[in-house]
Amino acid sequence: MKQTIVVLMLFVSGFTMAQTEPIKVVFDVTSANPDVHRTAAKHLRLMAEAYPASQFEMVIYSGAYKMVDNKSSVAGETLSAIITKDNVSVVICEQTMKRHKMTIGDLIPGVGSVPDGIYEIIMKQKEGWGYIKEAQ
C-alpha cells in the first residue's frame, strides 16, 4: 500500500511539474464553420491565460478567413481581447486574403499575416511547436 501511495505521489508531482513548463503551440484553423471559430478562439484564450509563460499562435487560412474579418467574425470579441497578450499571435495566410480580396484593414486589429499558412505551421513544428487542429 505504501509503495502505491509513493508511486502515486511521484506521478502527481511529475504531472504538476509538466503542466508548469512553458510550451509553444500552433493552432490550425481552416473551417468555415462559425462554431469552430468560437471554440478555437475560446481554446486559445483558455490556454494563453492558463499558461502565461508559454507561446501560442493561431494560423487562419482557407475557409476560416471570416474568423478574423473585422465586420463578420463571430469570435472577434474573444480574439480582440486575447491578441493583446504578449504570448499570443493570430495570423492569416496572405494567399487566403488574396483569394477573398481582403486587406489588412479588413482584419480584426492586431491580427497579422504570413505569406503561406501551411508553411507557417510546418516551420513552427520544425522549431518544436506542438500542433492543434481546430475542426468540427
Side-chain angles (χ1 to χ4, degrees), residues 23-29 40 44 47-48 54-60 79 86-92 112-114 116-125 127 129-132 134:
I23 58 175
K24 296 178 181 181
V25 178
V26 60
F27 292 81
D28 175 344
V29 187
L44 180 64
M47 291 290 293
S54 296
Q55 292 181 298
F56 304 94
E57 180 170 284
M58 182 169 282
V59 180
I60 311 295
L79 289 177
D86 289 338
N87 64 334
V88 175
S89 66
V90 177
V91 296
I92 184 170
S113 67
V114 293
D116 185 298
I118 294 170
Y119 185 83
E120 178 74 4
I121 291 167
I122 291 168
M123 292 309 295
K124 291 293 185 192
Q125 289 179 299
E127 294 168 5
W129 287 55
Y131 171 85
I132 296 177
E134 293 281 357

Side-chain angles (χ1 to χ4, degrees), residues 67-131:
M67 183 176 180
V68 292
D69 185 315
N70 198 26
K71 295 178 185 117
S72 64
S73 177
V74 297
E77 188 174 317
T78 302
L79 289 177
S80 292
I82 199 66
I83 270 175
T84 62
K85 304 250 183 226
D86 289 338
N87 64 334
V88 175
S89 66
V90 177
V91 296
I92 184 170
C93 172
E94 290 171 5
Q95 298 305 311
T96 296
M97 290 176 66
K98 189 175 181 179
R99 270 193 310 281
H100 296 284
K101 297 177 176 42
M102 295 178 80
T103 66
I104 292 292
D106 295 321
L107 304 177
I108 293 168
V111 171
S113 67
V114 293
D116 185 298
I118 294 170
Y119 185 83
E120 178 74 4
I121 291 167
I122 291 168
M123 292 309 295
K124 291 293 185 192
Q125 289 179 299
K126 188 176 177 181
E127 294 168 5
W129 287 55
Y131 171 85

